[in-house]
Amino acid sequence: MTLDFRNINTLWASVLVETLSRLGLTTAVICPGSRSGPLAVAFAQHPKVEAIPILDERSAAFFALGRARRTGLPTVLVCTSGTAGANFYPAVIEARESRVPLLVLTADRPPEMRHCHAGQAIDQVKLYGHYPNWQAELALPEADWGLLAYVRQTTLHAWARSQAPVPGPVHLNLPFRDPLAPELDPTLKALAQTQPEQFFTSVSPLPLGGQSLAEVPLQHWQDCDCGLIIAGPAQPLDPATHAQAIAHLSRWLGWPVLSEGLSPVRNFAAHNGYLITTYDLLLRHEPFASQQRPEQVIRIGELPTSKTLRNWLSAAEIIQWVIDPADHNFDPLHGTTVHLRTDIQTLTKSVQDLPVETPLTAYTKHWLSAEAQVRQRLQKTLAEISTAFEGKVAWLLSQHLPPKTPLFIANSMPIRDMEWFWQPNDQQVQPYFNRGANGIDGTLSTALGMAYGQMPSVFLTGDLTLLHDTNGFLIRSRWRGHLTIILINNHGGGIFGMLPIAAYEPPFEDFFATPYAVNFAQLCATYGVDHELIQTWGHFIERIQILPEQGIRVLEVQCDRTADAQWRLTHLPQLGADLSS
């Protein structure tokens, strides 16, 4: 084992880091500061942990969130004492709400330096309120093997609680007295000679298997001729298996699958012959919405973004079966909901011995006929648009991105354009997103964390979201991998043009649309990031079909948010109208 006996603080920190390494930790994001010095030294010197320094704490936290989301393992986040840890708060909230494992380590002043106006000292105990899965303050470091074992076991518990029973953030507050630098303390030499041989023997990656399924209403589902499966937003580590499991359930029941644009199901279309992606457009029309009212709904995970779909389900007053292993409440509609706390893969194992496919009912056939008509209209309409329309960006990405490209989608309009315009395909693109709290905090940093050291990735964002987090670019000099940022620059908040407040001017333009005159070419040059202004749709396709292997680049698409909002308000209701029987 690798322990640092130079002084008690380096030893304390090295026990913690060695324990995490043996549990499976691969990445630690370190923010600069003095009080966290022992932790920074321990992570930086460990041969099996990649320590990544990031200056801005908020950016660092969202970078760690993106890394954890991509790997499925906790990422460690380290900062000094004082308000540094407060900047982690938005990412801690997002980690809790979107169930991402995050291990937050905040260094702190010792107790005697608190509540007395010592510098850089605030109350850090339970700093993040109820958002962590678990939180604790460690004791002050002491040269005692019993207390070092306490550090080891507390660290092991923190690692486990960040992943089970539900993934999320865990906060450890670690007070340190001087010396904070790795100065030599000769008195520890005797302690090193009594080092227990078996100290780390029991520390190994934890078995974190999924929950078993007690009972599902298989016959109740099978007897239903008017049922729906709704595939909500999902970021599974194995998107192919996730999509296949949903397809298997759909074939067995003969029920159509309404797939959110943030679900990988749309990108494995060949698996699912009963796929419906134009539901938002179809359900805007009362005759269709009334005729296709289901008797039951099986929902995989959270609800899709579509407000039209949510209102329709709420009005239908039907039973919904929610399939998700989390202990969260996934019913914002407050309807008749039964939560089966399992995952879709476990559920489909219980039906794998049943008939492979059920004959289609008239209900399902009607859905499929309507889908084919509206999808054809949508394709024709978008193909004929030659101007720079925001929605066409998502439509072209669905057709031209390289297979299996990781795609991070920013909140606000990009998320909604994904739902309306992302076409079903077999490119196996994996969507990523921050939909726990649905904010724009740290979006660039999360995308950078998601893409770091991975295959070439893409980030779709609006201008205000990017401007909110430009400090994320500070990692460029240490960047590994490639990220293409597709920047939709509509000179303000485009989503507000879709809301009733847009009719009130003033104060709409200044206080809601909030336009900023920023030259993104100059901004990118400041950070040393490549920038290119897209001239035509052909130019755009050329740039996304083959992605570079290294670096960060911005492809800027300039749009007119007022005209684009009007296009959506005019055309979206028309696309699903007047269908043939």
Side-chain angles (χ1 to χ4, degrees), residues 94-173:
E94 178 64 30
R96 167 59 179 258
E97 296 301 322
S98 57
R99 293 168 286 157
V100 176
L102 205 61
L103 187 51
V104 180
L105 308 180
T106 54
D108 202 354
R109 292 273 194 169
E112 68 271 16
M113 298 302 292
R114 302 177 192 173
H115 311 295
C116 60
H117 280 257
Q120 216 166 316
I122 66 170
D123 186 356
Q124 296 178 199
V125 176
K126 297 188 177 179
L127 179 61
Y128 307 113
H130 66 275
Y131 285 102
N133 283 1
W134 184 67
Q135 51 194 318
E137 180 173 60
L138 267 64
L140 281 162
E142 290 188 37
D144 177 88
W145 280 112
L147 284 174
L148 292 169
Y150 146 78
V151 174
R152 178 196 62 203
Q153 294 308 112
T154 303
T155 303
L156 195 152
H157 181 66
W159 178 265
R161 287 299 307 274
S162 72
Q163 299 170 84
V166 179
V170 163
H171 174 214
L172 293 181
N173 196 55

Side-chain angles (χ1 to χ4, degrees), residues 197-229:
E197 292 184 5
Q198 307 299 318
F199 190 75
F200 286 110
T201 302
S202 62
V203 180
S204 59
L206 307 177
L208 294 168
Q211 301 177 17
S212 61
L213 181 64
E215 184 178 356
V216 295
L218 299 179
Q219 193 61 49
H220 191 60
W221 293 345
Q222 204 171 17
D223 291 342
C224 176
D225 290 335
C226 299
L228 281 178
I229 298 171

Side-chain angles (χ1 to χ4, degrees), residues 205-441:
L206 307 177
L208 294 168
Q211 301 177 17
S212 61
L213 181 64
E215 184 178 356
V216 295
L218 299 179
Q219 193 61 49
H220 191 60
W221 293 345
Q222 204 171 17
D223 291 342
C224 176
D225 290 335
C226 299
L228 281 178
I229 298 171
I230 298 178
Q235 303 173 83
L237 289 175
D238 186 351
T241 301
H242 179 85
Q244 289 166 0
I246 293 174
H248 180 68
L249 183 65
S250 171
R251 288 193 302 270
W252 174 65
L253 292 173
W255 292 7
V257 176
L258 277 56
S259 174
E260 148 86 72
L262 300 181
S263 168
V265 169
R266 284 204 198 185
N267 305 316
F268 291 82
H271 290 71
N272 199 318
Y274 310 153
L275 189 59
I276 308 296
T277 62
T278 62
Y279 53 85
D280 182 277
L281 308 178
L282 289 165
L283 294 175
R284 291 167 185 256
H285 301 280
E286 178 55 31
F288 182 90
S290 177
Q291 183 178 7
Q292 291 303 104
R293 180 183 180 275
E295 296 171 359
Q296 297 185 63
V297 167
I298 298 174
R299 178 151 55 84
I300 316 301
E302 298 190 50
L303 277 168
T305 306
S306 170
K307 186 176 181 180
T308 302
L309 175 64
R310 291 176 179 231
N311 290 341
W312 180 66
L313 290 173
S314 182
E317 297 182 350
I318 54 171
I319 188 168
Q320 292 189 53
W321 308 87
V322 177
I323 311 300
D324 195 288
D327 62 352
H328 292 199
N329 176 5
F330 284 139
D331 186 14
L333 306 180
H334 308 302
T336 305
T337 304
V338 178
H339 193 151
L340 302 175
R341 301 190 187 278
T342 184
D343 57 62
I344 184 61
Q345 292 91 335
T346 302
L347 186 145
T348 53
K349 287 178 183 177
S350 66
V351 300
Q352 62 185 357
D353 296 329
L354 297 171
V356 174
E357 193 161 359
T358 296
L360 297 185
T361 63
Y363 179 80
T364 298
K365 289 178 179 178
H366 194 188
W367 270 108
L368 295 175
S369 172
E371 165 76 8
Q373 293 178 64
V374 177
R375 195 186 296 176
Q376 185 178 22
R377 290 180 184 179
L378 187 60
Q379 292 277 36
K380 184 176 184 297
T381 301
L382 292 174
E384 292 174 350
I385 295 176
S386 59
T387 56
F389 169 56
E390 297 170 27
K392 190 162 181 173
V393 173
W395 182 69
L396 289 174
L397 286 173
S398 68
Q399 300 170 67
H400 297 287
L401 278 180
K404 299 184 178 181
T405 298
L407 171 64
F408 197 96
I409 306 106
N411 283 321
S412 296
M413 271 330 301
I415 288 283
R416 286 154 179 85
D417 283 342
M418 287 286 294
E419 182 154 42
W420 289 322
F421 305 121
W422 186 270
Q423 295 296 293
N425 61 77
D426 293 305
Q427 294 298 91
Q428 302 182 24
V429 169
Q430 172 61 51
Y432 292 90
F433 41 88
N434 282 347
R435 294 299 284 172
N438 297 1
I440 65 170
D441 312 61

Side-chain angles (χ1 to χ4, degrees), residues 367-537:
W367 270 108
L368 295 175
S369 172
E371 165 76 8
Q373 293 178 64
V374 177
R375 195 186 296 176
Q376 185 178 22
R377 290 180 184 179
L378 187 60
Q379 292 277 36
K380 184 176 184 297
T381 301
L382 292 174
E384 292 174 350
I385 295 176
S386 59
T387 56
F389 169 56
E390 297 170 27
K392 190 162 181 173
V393 173
W395 182 69
L396 289 174
L397 286 173
S398 68
Q399 300 170 67
H400 297 287
L401 278 180
K404 299 184 178 181
T405 298
L407 171 64
F408 197 96
I409 306 106
N411 283 321
S412 296
M413 271 330 301
I415 288 283
R416 286 154 179 85
D417 283 342
M418 287 286 294
E419 182 154 42
W420 289 322
F421 305 121
W422 186 270
Q423 295 296 293
N425 61 77
D426 293 305
Q427 294 298 91
Q428 302 182 24
V429 169
Q430 172 61 51
Y432 292 90
F433 41 88
N434 282 347
R435 294 299 284 172
N438 297 1
I440 65 170
D441 312 61
T443 310
L444 170 61
S445 297
T446 311
L448 288 163
M450 178 275 295
Y452 181 78
Q454 305 292 330
M455 65 184 293
S457 305
V458 171
F459 169 38
L460 175 62
T461 181
D463 51 337
L464 295 190
T465 298
L466 187 66
L467 288 172
H468 203 269
D469 191 32
T470 53
N471 269 2
F473 284 134
L474 291 172
I475 197 176
R476 189 200 61 80
S477 62
R478 298 177 178 273
W479 178 251
R480 289 198 294 110
H482 173 75
L483 181 67
T484 287
I485 300 168
I486 299 172
L487 167 63
I488 298 176
N489 182 7
N490 57 20
H491 307 283
I495 192 170
F496 295 105
M498 303 289 295
L499 303 178
I501 192 64
Y504 297 88
E505 183 62 66
F508 173 73
E509 188 68 9
D510 288 341
F511 291 92
F512 293 89
T514 56
Y516 291 93
V518 175
N519 185 316
F520 282 97
Q522 293 178 358
L523 178 68
C524 290
T526 300
Y527 288 101
V529 170
D530 292 339
H531 173 276
E532 187 172 356
L533 184 64
I534 296 299
Q535 304 294 340
T536 65
W537 290 123

